[in-house]
Amino acid sequence: MYKFQNEKLNVLGNKSITYFNGKNLENKLYEYSNYKRRFYVDTVFNFLENSSKRCVELFGLRRVGKTVSIFHIIDKLIKSNVSSNEILYIECNESLSVDSLVLFIENMNSKNKLKYEFIDEVTEIDDFISSANNLIEMKIPVKTILTGSSSLVFYYSKQYLLGRCLKINPTYISYKEWYYLKGGSIFDYIKNAGILDNLISTEEYIQDAVSYNIQSSLKKYSDIERSIGDLDLRVLDLINCYDTIIVKSTELFTNRFELESIKSKFESFNVNYSNSKYLEKSIFTKTEIYKYIAEKLNDDYNVDSLTQNDVRLLLSLLVKGDFYYKLINRNIIDGYTIDEERYCSTQPSIRYKQFVKQKDILQNSLGVGNDINVENIVEGNILEDTIRLNIDRALPSEYFKSFHLRIDNLIEIDSVIKNMETNKVILVEIKRKKNYSKADFRWLVSEDITNYVHGNIVKRLYLYNGKTIKVDYNDTVIDCINIEEFLLSIDTYIDYLY
């Protein structure tokens, strides 16, 4: 490790830059040699080798392996005969400015003609948003790889970097990638996926990674002297209480999800418990839950005059930061189509761990005793959302759509996957059980479903925890597929839609 300090470069003053180059960089690689590579490492390497564009952005939450991936990319470059003297790695800190960084890079280039520069945690630099173009437009023909944990800083600097960069957010980890990195079953993935190390609690992770990401981004955005644009000034007033808002809103969305899961199970078995009114009173529309979160935070946490619009805006930042993802639930009632957005954490363990904290209270509140196992119901629905998320994120382009379909509150398909260009469709039913039941196939062959999907159904999939086999049902082939096998080979099934 080197500390660069040069009194002749007045812009640096007494500040130092930590960097690695040449043999020192090669030695640094050994620290990361035992870690498995994230899938996007090859994507970035191929981009650097073949694209005329000069910049890559890796932005996402802490603890998802961005720095490790940087050194894996550097290792691949060196093994492809790029000299370590032609590669520069820099660790950023808040004392730097973009101009000082540019001067340092130019100075290093005068000693060794650089081909690649890796600038880690570049969003720590206070003026990055307003000066990002100075890094990309240097006269040196060097390719630049930027990383940052304040990922919204990249979002707000988009007007400077638009169209110039390959953008990758590594926050989401698919089951296929997680299985390669860590190993384990689909339920291990649900309980632990989203982060690549062990944590004390969900709250710790939300405060350390998620809240830091948002708060740091907003702070830097508010410090620059230009129009706030699409960011409401009100959000900046809420920076200091953002961790509380995230923790509470995530808990409340999880609680809403649990209650919806149980209510759906009540309806499917036509069960009429005396405490079913508890469900009716506790499940909110999305607008109502914004209002409820605002009231709850105002009453319990003394957040100053928080409104439902504040909550809506703050949660939209979680979507932009890829902490939340929107799944589509399509409801068709009396021939009318209504698409509803469903918030789903891109890290399944967040929802699961919060449910574990609440499950005993929830079971007792329902007053159903042991007649219905709340844990099994909610785990089953987390499983369904997790598979839907993996399907949606695997779709190769905007021409592919996936959604949950419910017709007249009776007929239901867990996932409809459609190629809008070829008009080909795959129907997916998801079950937690280990043995298939032919009664579960009825909606996969329903004429009502066939009429409403408006396409050529090329596959009917029944995902469960049993063995992969084909079953004939009413002269129709149903592919009963083990869930883990499906998720590990999901691209193969998407290929049927071409």
Side-chain angles (χ1 to χ4, degrees):
M1 178 177 70
Y2 295 105
K3 297 280 189 179
F4 177 85
Q5 195 167 5
N6 191 332
E7 294 179 0
K8 293 181 180 179
L9 297 178
N10 294 328
V11 71
L12 284 178
N14 295 320
K15 299 166 187 176
S16 64
I17 295 179
T18 302
Y19 72 98
F20 297 87
N21 175 246
K23 289 295 181 183
N24 194 269
L25 177 61
E26 292 180 32
N27 293 335
K28 182 72 173 175
L29 296 177
Y30 290 113
E31 295 180 24
Y32 304 95
S33 59
N34 292 327
Y35 292 92
K36 290 185 176 180
R37 291 176 177 170
R38 291 289 306 269
F39 285 174
Y40 65 82
V41 166
D42 288 338
T43 301
V44 174
F45 174 79
N46 292 332
F47 177 88
L48 294 174
E49 290 279 283
N50 302 310
S51 176
S52 60
K53 294 182 179 180
R54 293 171 51 185
C55 180
V56 177
E57 295 176 13
L58 294 179
F59 57 96
L61 300 182
R62 291 177 170 182
R63 304 178 186 265
V64 296
K66 296 186 299 297
T67 298
V68 174
S69 293
I70 276 185
F71 285 102
H72 286 162
I73 296 165
I74 292 172
D75 182 61
K76 283 180 70 72
L77 288 170
I78 292 174
K79 287 177 178 176
S80 69
N81 295 320
V82 177
S83 169
S84 59
N85 290 322
E86 298 172 319
I87 303 172
L88 176 64
Y89 169 86
I90 300 171
E91 292 178 1
C92 291
N93 58 69
E94 291 182 351
S95 69
L96 298 175
S97 68
V98 169
D99 285 343
S100 66
L101 198 59
V102 169
L103 282 175
F104 169 71
I105 294 167
E106 289 174 345
N107 181 277
M108 289 295 296
N109 184 68
S110 67
K111 300 174 183 178
N112 296 303
K113 295 300 180 183
L114 298 174
K115 289 185 177 179
Y116 303 96
E117 57 182 7
F118 292 78
I119 306 176
D120 202 7
E121 295 297 349
V122 71
T123 52
E124 292 294 317
I125 299 175
D126 284 335
D127 65 343
F128 174 72
I129 292 178
S130 58
S131 304
N133 58 324
N134 294 346
L135 275 176
I136 309 306
E137 293 179 349
M138 285 191 298
K139 295 178 181 179
I140 303 170
V142 63
K143 292 198 173 182
T144 304
I145 298 85
L146 308 172
T147 81
S149 295
S150 303
S151 57
L152 286 175
V153 168
F154 284 110
Y155 177 83
Y156 294 126
S157 63
K158 64 184 179 182
Q159 70 183 70
Y160 302 109
L161 301 175
L162 188 63
R164 304 184 187 189
C165 301
L166 170 68
K167 299 175 182 289
I168 294 178
N169 186 333
T171 298
Y172 164 73
I173 303 173
S174 68
Y175 174 71
K176 182 177 181 179
E177 184 171 17
W178 187 84
Y179 182 82
Y180 165 74
L181 294 170
K182 307 282 283 186
S185 71
I186 182 63
F187 291 104
D188 292 327
Y189 173 72
I190 286 172
K191 295 173 184 178
N192 301 290
I195 48 180
L196 297 177
D197 60 6
N198 297 319
L199 293 166
I200 297 172
S201 68
T202 300
E203 287 78 7
E204 178 194 47
Y205 180 64
I206 289 175
Q207 290 167 358
D208 178 64
V210 184
S211 291
Y212 169 84
N213 185 308
I214 304 293
Q215 287 175 308
S216 176
S217 298
L218 295 179
K219 180 65 169 64
K220 285 180 169 52
Y221 193 65
S222 65
D223 285 345
I224 63 176
E225 295 180 0
R226 65 180 180 83
S227 170
I228 294 297
D230 66 348
L231 181 64
D232 194 315
L233 283 166
R234 170 64 173 154
V235 173
L236 302 179
D237 297 332
L238 302 169
I239 289 176
N240 293 330
C241 61
Y242 200 79
D243 53 348
T244 299
I245 293 171
I246 294 176
V247 170
K248 264 333 263 185
S249 61
T250 306
E251 284 180 0
L252 291 166
F253 267 106
T254 299
N255 187 248
R256 177 193 187 217
F257 166 79
E258 295 161 359
L259 294 168
E260 285 179 334
S261 302
I262 295 162
K263 183 172 183 287
S264 176
K265 185 63 68 174
F266 276 24
E267 291 171 345
S268 66
F269 285 101
N270 197 27
V271 177
N272 184 23
Y273 290 104
S274 59
N275 272 8
S276 62
K277 291 182 179 178
Y278 169 81
L279 295 175
E280 298 295 342
K281 290 189 294 184
S282 302
I283 298 177
F284 309 108
T285 66
K286 192 160 64 175
T287 300
E288 288 171 339
I289 201 169
Y290 291 149
K291 181 180 178 182
Y292 178 74
I293 290 172
E295 291 175 349
K296 191 76 173 171
L297 291 170
N298 284 329
D299 292 344
D300 296 352
Y301 292 91
N302 298 317
V303 178
D304 185 29
S305 303
L306 191 72
T307 70
Q308 64 188 57
N309 286 331
D310 294 332
V311 174
R312 182 185 290 108
L313 184 58
L314 291 166
L315 291 176
S316 74
L317 298 180
L318 294 177
V319 174
K320 291 172 183 174
D322 208 28
F323 179 68
Y324 277 155
Y325 187 77
K326 292 180 182 178
L327 296 172
I328 300 299
N329 286 357
R330 177 163 295 175
N331 298 299
I332 299 175
I333 301 174
D334 296 329
Y336 292 95
T337 300
I338 303 170
D339 282 349
E340 181 181 279
E341 294 174 343
R342 180 192 187 100
Y343 284 107
C344 174
S345 173
T346 55
Q347 301 173 300
S349 59
I350 299 296
R351 176 174 285 175
Y352 180 81
K353 288 175 181 177
Q354 287 183 328
F355 161 66
V356 169
K357 286 174 54 182
Q358 301 170 3
K359 67 179 181 179
D360 291 338
I361 296 173
L362 189 57
Q363 183 90 42
N364 294 332
S365 298
L366 290 169
V368 297
N370 295 320
D371 293 344
I372 287 184
N373 187 311
V374 169
E375 184 170 3
N376 286 343
I377 294 170
V378 176
E379 275 191 8
N381 279 271
I382 294 176
L383 174 66
E384 181 183 321
D385 269 12
T386 300
I387 293 171
R388 288 183 59 197
L389 175 66
N390 274 253
I391 290 172
D392 219 52
R393 297 297 288 255
L395 298 179
S397 78
E398 61 185 12
Y399 298 108
F400 290 77
K401 305 294 182 185
S402 74
F403 52 89
H404 177 278
L405 179 62
R406 189 176 176 92
I407 303 172
D408 293 330
N409 293 319
L410 176 64
I411 300 169
E412 192 168 13
I413 288 290
D414 293 328
S415 182
V416 176
I417 315 170
K418 187 173 183 178
N419 182 335
M420 307 303 289
E421 287 190 315
T422 66
N423 220 31
K424 292 182 178 180
V425 174
I426 294 175
L427 303 180
V428 182
E429 185 70 26
I430 302 167
K431 296 296 179 184
R432 190 175 185 269
K433 58 181 67 172
K434 293 182 178 179
N435 297 305
Y436 72 82
S437 168
K438 288 193 174 183
D440 294 333
F441 300 162
R442 64 193 185 281
W443 302 134
L444 289 172
V445 299
S446 165
E447 288 187 9
D448 292 299
I449 293 293
T450 303
N451 293 334
Y452 277 109
V453 297
H454 304 298
N456 175 26
I457 300 173
V458 295
K459 281 283 180 182
R460 292 172 171 86
L461 308 181
Y462 181 85
L463 306 183
Y464 73 133
N465 285 303
K467 294 181 179 180
T468 296
I469 58 172
K470 292 183 182 293
V471 177
D472 182 77
Y473 179 75
N474 291 351
D475 296 324
T476 302
V477 175
I478 307 295
D479 289 288
C480 298
I481 303 171
N482 178 272
I483 289 170
E484 292 164 13
E485 289 181 24
F486 170 78
L487 294 176
L488 292 174
S489 57
I490 193 167
D491 294 339
T492 302
Y493 292 95
I494 293 174
D495 285 344
Y496 283 103
L497 298 172
Y498 285 102

